[in-house]
Amino acid sequence: MVPDGRSGTGDRAGASDETPDEGATLLDDLRAAIGRYVVLPSDEALTAVTLWVAASHIQPALQHAPRLAVVGPTKGCGKSRVLDVLHETVHQPMMTVNTSPAVVFRVIGKNPPTLLVDEADTIFGPKAGDKEDLRGLLNAGHQRNRPAWRISGPEHKPTAFPTFAMAALAGIGDLPDTIMDRAVVLRMQKRKPGERIAPFRSRYSVPELNALRDRLTAWLTPLRGAAARLVPPMPVEDRAADTWEPLVIVADLAGGHWPSRARAACLAMTRNEVVQDEQTTLKTRLLRDVRRVFEQEGNKEALRSQDLLAALLQDAEAPWAEYGTKGLNAYHLANLLRDFGISPANHRFENGRQAKAYARNQFLDAWARYCPDPAQPAPTVEEAEVARRAQGKPPAPPSGTLPIGPPGGPAGPKPTR
């Protein structure tokens, strides 16, 4: 529990030269420095990143190693810049884009590094290839005592390799649910014209951030014992509590306004992810309903936007008539489909007139990935080629018939970007 009913500063006797005020001030300084170099989606997100960085310095005292999922819809949202800042402030950073799982297995030990993984779609997306070992490590490493067993050494003995380590992963689009469910999620966006940040220059940015890292180390390393004993009251439960507890522990050690700020950020960001999950479920429902409309219309090459909307709104069991304030409209429809790379375009119909319409071949890839119909045969090579071209993908050499179900396994790769 938070000791003495105070602001959660822990048992500091003989543990650290920092006073409670100095711990809070240090987090304030770190928060301000991070905010100078990146534009995060909210004040709560800036608070979460600050506490995540600090929590990396007490990893040996933690029971859970929260992931930091830095995701965005496109390039240029600041994801890599977040990793640049983390690299100079976290405990023992290990930056990687394409490392060997064997290297990571051997680097993680009793005092693990903080893994920083850029271009995470090379691990989880369609380019993953033979990265299953690394994917499994990142899933298992959220909780202590989940080792990976391998045959190792000249005597080929079974050896347990620890997997426990904090990790930040950056990529375009959502990561798999197994990661997102264990992560503090930063949903990055492009900067607006009025949003300014300081340029990140090694000659002065790195020394400034390294000085903050050294102050974090000096403050928190002696407090690892106190951190291990803290059982802070949490505003959330279950896995969300596991993920956020290390951040709240740091806030309670710092004291001041940080305990309340940390819990407010926890509530706001976990609620936001609940909304995102609901939206994802809604988008999958929309894909299924659009497929049904196309089937009812004889799988035409394209449907006018107004005709597709009218058909969706006529379904009394669907949520579309009550979507928004006045029901689903053309703007809502385009916005919900945008993440799948689907958008309306001018199309010429039989009578020679043009109208905004949705082409059926734009949906083929999304239907196969997110709502496969087991009753339907797999798309032919020709259909898959048309879908790839519609989504802007380069053609792939034919390799026989495509498998039934979402490519890449149950989780499926991310939508085309």
Side-chain angles (χ1 to χ4, degrees), residues 9 26 36 42 103 141 149 166 179 217 251 289 323 334 345 349 379 409:
T9 55
L26 174 51
R36 280 198 295 274
S42 65
V103 172
W149 286 87
M166 289 177 65
I179 294 292
T217 302
D289 287 353
Y323 188 87
F349 290 88

Side-chain angles (χ1 to χ4, degrees), residues 82-98:
V82 171
L83 293 190
D84 290 338
V85 173
L86 295 181
H87 186 269
E88 306 306 329
T89 51
V90 298
H91 169 74
Q92 292 185 14
M94 179 180 175
M95 181 77 81
T96 177
V97 174
N98 190 24

Side-chain angles (χ1 to χ4, degrees), residues 154-178:
E155 298 180 0
H156 301 286
K157 290 184 177 180
T159 304
F161 290 95
T163 62
F164 183 81
M166 289 177 65
L169 302 98
I172 296 176
D174 279 9
L175 301 172
D177 289 344
T178 53

Side-chain angles (χ1 to χ4, degrees), residues 26-35 43 46-47 50 258 261:
L26 174 51
L27 291 184
D28 289 341
D29 292 345
L30 176 61
R31 188 178 190 274
I34 294 172
D43 284 343
L46 180 54
T47 294
T50 303
W258 278 95
R261 172 176 275 182

